[in-house]
Each structure stands twice: as C-alpha cells, then as structure tokens.
Amino acid sequence: MAESSGRAGKSSGSGAGKGAVSAEQNLVSSWELLGWNDVGRGEAAHVIAGFNRLRQEQRGLASKAAELEMELNEHSLVIDTLKEVDETRKCFRMVGGVLVERTVKEVLPALENNKEQIQKIIETLTQQLQAKGKELNEFREKHNIRLMGEEEKPAQENADGAGAGAKAGSAGVLVS
C-alpha cells in the first residue's frame, strides 16, 4: 500500500499530465525497439548527447544571427532618418548604458561604422552556421541518426542491399 501511494505521489508531483511520456522513457522505448542492450544504451546516450550539443550550438548561432539582423535593421532605419535632418541638430545616443547628447554630424559616422561591423559579424555567423549544419549532417550520417517523424530510407534500398543481416547489424539512433 505504501508503494502504490509513493508512485502516485511521484507521478502527480512531476507536473506531467496523465499519459505523458518523459524523454527518458521515450528514449528507453526507442532503445528497446532497436534491440540494444545496456552497453548499447550507454553508447547511444553518448551519441545523442553529442547530436543534441551540435543542434544547440546551431540554434545559438542562428539566434545570434537573427538578433544581429534586427539590430542591423534598426541601424539602417536610424541612419536613413538622420540623413534627412540638419547636421547641427541635437540627438541622443545610448553609449554603454548612458544617454549622451551629440549632434547628428557626430553620431551619423559612428552609426554607419557600427552598421558595417554588424554586417561583417552577420557574414561570419552565417559561415559558421553553414559549417555547423554540415558538421551536424555528417554526424547524423556517421551515426545513422533519424529524427522522430522522419521516414526511414526507402525499402527498395534495403531490398537491393545485403538483406536482413545487414539491417539487423546496423541499428540507428532514434532522436525525439
């Protein structure tokens, strides 16, 4: 009786709804489907951790690039606006968290320089993002990783290949 109440307490305290499956349970069921033993589980967990690390790095690069794109658009908007006003007009600029008063003549060249620097950084991030995507795809191919909802290779390739023996020997990693 104490055991059943302990289990109920754990499941209700997790915040998951009825029938919810944790990522670990999903992973374990995936390993069982693939026929892996405990040693295979450790190796698979290592592969999945590496794959998730690469995906997280790729997401971080994409996020930073998107943030800088927005900043570039803001710079362009301000530059276009300031080009239409008198050069002696006062304007305010945030420098290191401090609002400073300057003239348009002083601020405009600094903004244009910042815009150029942001463009260079975006180009660098784009190159890094492409390299990370290539690295991620190579990692997926090397470890035969399939994502949930992704179809397996066509059955025709398996039929033309070495047959059932090769299929049983090369189990892939299923990532949700």
Side-chain angles (χ1 to χ4, degrees):
M1 186 175 215
E3 286 181 29
S4 64
S5 65
R7 286 187 202 141
K10 287 181 184 176
S11 65
S12 65
S14 68
K18 220 176 195 184
V21 179
S22 71
E24 183 178 332
Q25 290 171 335
N26 190 11
L27 192 57
V28 169
S29 63
S30 298
W31 285 326
E32 290 169 356
L33 287 173
L34 295 171
W36 287 349
N37 57 19
D38 289 337
V39 175
R41 286 183 186 184
E43 292 172 15
H46 182 71
V47 168
I48 291 170
F51 178 72
N52 286 334
R53 178 186 49 81
L54 288 173
R55 282 198 330 187
Q56 188 63 33
E57 290 172 6
Q58 186 183 38
R59 285 186 192 123
L61 288 171
S63 174
K64 188 64 177 175
E67 178 184 329
L68 287 173
E69 284 285 347
M70 289 178 12
E71 198 168 317
L72 183 66
N73 290 337
E74 289 177 13
H75 273 70
S76 297
L77 182 64
V78 172
I79 288 169
D80 292 343
T81 303
L82 290 179
K83 282 183 178 178
E84 297 174 4
V85 298
D86 183 29
E87 289 184 344
T88 59
R89 184 172 176 177
K90 278 195 275 184
C91 65
F92 295 90
R93 180 174 183 218
M94 186 73 72
V95 178
V98 178
L99 193 62
V100 294
E101 182 180 336
R102 299 278 188 252
T103 63
V104 171
K105 184 178 180 179
E106 295 170 327
V107 170
L108 197 55
L111 285 175
E112 289 172 340
N113 183 37
N114 284 354
K115 181 181 172 185
E116 290 173 12
Q117 295 300 319
I118 292 170
Q119 286 173 330
K120 289 177 184 177
I121 293 170
I122 290 172
E123 289 173 11
T124 303
L125 281 175
T126 302
Q127 291 171 355
Q128 290 176 354
L129 188 59
Q130 290 172 349
K132 188 62 68 175
K134 185 177 179 181
E135 181 182 357
L136 190 61
N137 287 335
E138 289 171 356
F139 191 86
R140 282 183 66 187
E141 289 176 12
K142 177 181 177 186
H143 296 286
N144 192 22
I145 296 174
R146 296 184 326 267
L147 298 176
M148 294 293 284
E150 194 175 76
E151 294 184 21
E152 289 189 39
K153 294 179 182 176
Q156 187 178 22
E157 287 182 17
N158 289 337
D160 293 341
K167 186 177 179 184
S170 61
V173 177
L174 183 62
V175 179
S176 59

